[in-house]
Amino acid sequence: APDPGLRTLDPQTLFIQPKNWFTFLNWAEWFPSAQPIEVDLGAGDGGFIAARAKAHPEINFVAVERLLGRARKIDRKARRLGLANLRVLRMESYYTIRWLIPPASVRAFYLLFPDPWPKKKHHKHRVIRGEFLSATEQALVPGGCLFAATDHHEYFKEILDALRQRSGWSTDLLRDDQWFAEKTDFEIHFLKAKRRIQRLVARWDK
């Protein structure tokens, strides 16, 4: 049966739809319980974040997804599973972190299999840049984490280098068996294809 917390929400949607897109969100308006916040950036069809939310009712999760079809799919999945601790935000990742997430309010960000933009002329579109990390530093609680995974080795090195060049981060590489039990669709596909996946956790220590 759906969690009773869902009754306090709009029965039609689990989307976060702020009245003002230029001020920080108030998490208390969007979740029935005050709990740690974890955010999946580019959540795709939501397989990973929905499984995390189901396994961890003591954490509030936000699925950030730019594409409407995917965002709606996450919403339907969360509603079907009765997940009172999962919300969907249809927005671009950097804007969300920089302008919508309150400072020092997120315990973990997940950046899983971001678009690698493999052509050199498109590298500027890659999400990991100085301004992205600066916004992430603003949004994380002290000791909060950024988890990242990709099968694109050059992009992984770029992410790792970017983190190691900034003060305040401690970074560890993780093996498959040190990772989450929940999987994205990309991850399931890559593992079946025996493609090497590189993973890291970066802790914000300031």
Side-chain angles (χ1 to χ4, degrees):
D3 188 292
L6 290 174
R7 296 175 193 156
T8 66
L9 301 166
D10 180 345
Q12 300 305 313
T13 181
L14 297 181
F15 276 61
I16 292 175
Q17 297 173 312
K19 294 183 178 68
N20 186 341
W21 289 91
F22 301 98
T23 58
F24 292 128
L25 297 169
N26 176 0
W27 295 127
E29 293 180 4
W30 300 103
F31 289 100
S33 302
Q35 302 182 145
I37 302 285
E38 300 191 0
V39 180
D40 190 4
L41 300 170
D45 70 354
F48 170 83
I49 201 68
R52 290 283 295 160
K54 184 176 181 180
H56 295 278
E58 75 284 2
I59 301 170
N60 289 333
F61 294 91
V62 181
V64 178
E65 176 51 54
R66 181 177 58 85
L67 298 178
L68 180 58
R70 290 178 179 176
R72 284 176 171 163
K73 190 171 183 180
I74 300 169
D75 175 63
R76 290 194 298 269
K77 190 171 296 188
R79 189 168 295 286
R80 186 172 67 249
L81 294 171
L83 300 175
N85 62 330
L86 176 58
R87 297 293 172 272
V88 184
L89 179 60
R90 188 197 170 203
M91 179 49 64
E92 186 269 334
S93 292
Y94 171 69
Y95 187 94
T96 297
I97 301 172
R98 177 65 182 85
W99 300 109
L100 297 178
I101 292 180
S105 72
V106 170
R107 186 170 73 175
F109 284 108
Y110 302 100
L111 185 66
L112 308 180
F113 307 96
D115 191 333
W117 295 98
K119 293 183 180 178
K120 191 164 186 178
K121 65 180 180 180
H122 294 152
H123 285 188
K124 63 181 180 291
H125 298 306
R126 290 177 174 177
V127 68
I128 291 286
R129 287 287 182 268
E131 62 269 22
F132 173 90
L133 290 176
S134 178
T136 301
E137 293 161 4
Q138 170 186 278
L140 281 173
V141 299
C145 294
L146 169 65
F147 294 92
T150 179
D151 68 314
H152 193 281
H153 306 313
E154 183 231 343
Y155 192 16
F156 185 82
K157 183 179 184 302
E158 185 177 315
I159 294 171
L160 189 58
D161 289 347
L163 286 161
R164 287 177 170 172
Q165 288 166 11
R166 296 180 71 88
S167 63
W169 291 96
S170 58
T171 307
D172 291 305
L173 305 183
L174 300 178
R175 302 185 309 270
D176 286 1
D177 62 355
Q178 296 173 306
W179 198 246
F180 303 99
E182 301 82 11
K183 308 296 181 192
T184 71
D185 281 356
F186 279 124
E187 185 171 9
I188 292 168
H189 173 74
F190 293 152
L191 288 171
K192 285 181 179 176
K194 308 291 187 187
R195 288 173 69 167
R196 184 186 175 207
I197 297 171
Q198 291 177 277
R199 313 171 189 277
L200 65 80
V201 56
R203 187 177 302 278
W204 176 240
D205 291 324
K206 284 195 174 178

